[in-house]
Amino acid sequence: MARASKASPKKKTSAKTSKAAKKSPIEITLPSPSKVETWGMNHYSLSPVFFPEKEEDFRDLFSYANNKGLKLTFRGGGCSYGDAATNTKGAVIDISKYNRILEFDSKTGIVKAESGVTIKQLWEFGIEKGYWPPVVSGTMFPTLGGALSMNIHGKNNFAAGSIGDHVLEFTFMIPNGKVFVCSRKKNQELFLPQSPALECSEFF
């Protein structure tokens, strides 16, 4: 008669997922290409266009683009005469739906807004409260994000400077999804290059 061996105790399986485990790739349906035109109507691209509405949408799009090797271009109001807001070799992220005014201080006139807010939205919001934007472009349709990345100016440039002179702080997302709060005192190395030069910008 064979002697039965004692069964070894089963190891308990941990319900926790390892922190090192990789997240599943973000699945996004690539929109059908549409015509994306410049303000001067002398250039256009046929590009898939995304319309993010919250910060997490941008993070997901960055993750998707990184996984797929997809090149991204950002578009605000599409008011550039050049081809800055078109993309012949990738997709366009249109920020026009990321357009909420979040906070306003009636004593100082300081406003906190998302990058898709237009100059028109800003002055319509402020004028009934006794405020007017310090820099207003020749058209009302540029977004704050586009205006800052191009560092636009108005007819009062000789006195008021450009829009970058009036921005106190912005949040800046890099392609890995990390967000930095930037000002003249905080993350200064990111704030100073981003506000005056499109060449340095990733996203506003």
Side-chain angles (χ1 to χ4, degrees), residues 27-103:
E27 291 299 328
I28 294 176
T29 301
L30 195 66
S32 298
S34 56
K35 187 176 182 180
V36 180
E37 201 166 35
T38 65
W39 183 250
M41 296 185 291
N42 64 333
H43 180 82
Y44 72 90
S45 66
L46 293 175
S47 314
V49 182
F50 295 101
F51 293 89
E53 298 182 25
K54 54 185 184 297
E55 183 179 297
E56 194 58 34
D57 294 342
F58 291 99
R59 188 172 285 106
D60 288 346
L61 286 170
F62 275 141
S63 177
Y64 173 79
N66 285 332
N67 288 332
K68 300 292 184 180
L70 181 67
K71 294 182 179 180
L72 299 175
T73 292
F74 290 89
R75 182 179 180 87
C79 297
S80 173
Y81 283 99
D83 61 357
T86 63
N87 190 353
T88 58
K89 297 181 179 180
V92 171
I93 296 181
D94 188 312
I95 63 172
S96 60
K97 292 187 178 181
Y98 188 63
N99 62 354
R100 296 176 301 165
I101 293 176
L102 304 173
E103 297 175 15

Side-chain angles (χ1 to χ4, degrees), residues 2 4 14 48-49 53 73 90-91 127-128 153 158 166 171 179 184 202:
S14 174
V49 182
E53 298 182 25
T73 292
I127 197 168
E128 62 182 20
H153 61 80
F158 67 95
H166 302 276
T171 54
V179 173
R184 289 173 178 81
E202 293 283 355

Side-chain angles (χ1 to χ4, degrees), residues 4 60 76 91 157 174:
D60 288 346
N157 184 42
I174 60 177

Side-chain angles (χ1 to χ4, degrees), residues 75-148:
R75 182 179 180 87
C79 297
S80 173
Y81 283 99
D83 61 357
T86 63
N87 190 353
T88 58
K89 297 181 179 180
V92 171
I93 296 181
D94 188 312
I95 63 172
S96 60
K97 292 187 178 181
Y98 188 63
N99 62 354
R100 296 176 301 165
I101 293 176
L102 304 173
E103 297 175 15
F104 177 71
D105 188 326
S106 59
K107 293 182 179 179
T108 63
I110 295 174
V111 63
K112 179 179 180 180
E114 293 175 336
S115 56
V117 168
T118 63
I119 299 294
K120 182 176 186 288
Q121 275 181 271
L122 189 61
W123 73 253
E124 286 181 339
F125 175 84
I127 197 168
E128 62 182 20
K129 300 171 178 60
Y131 285 96
W132 182 259
V135 173
V136 175
S137 53
T139 174
M140 297 292 100
F141 307 115
T143 60
L144 293 181
L148 181 59

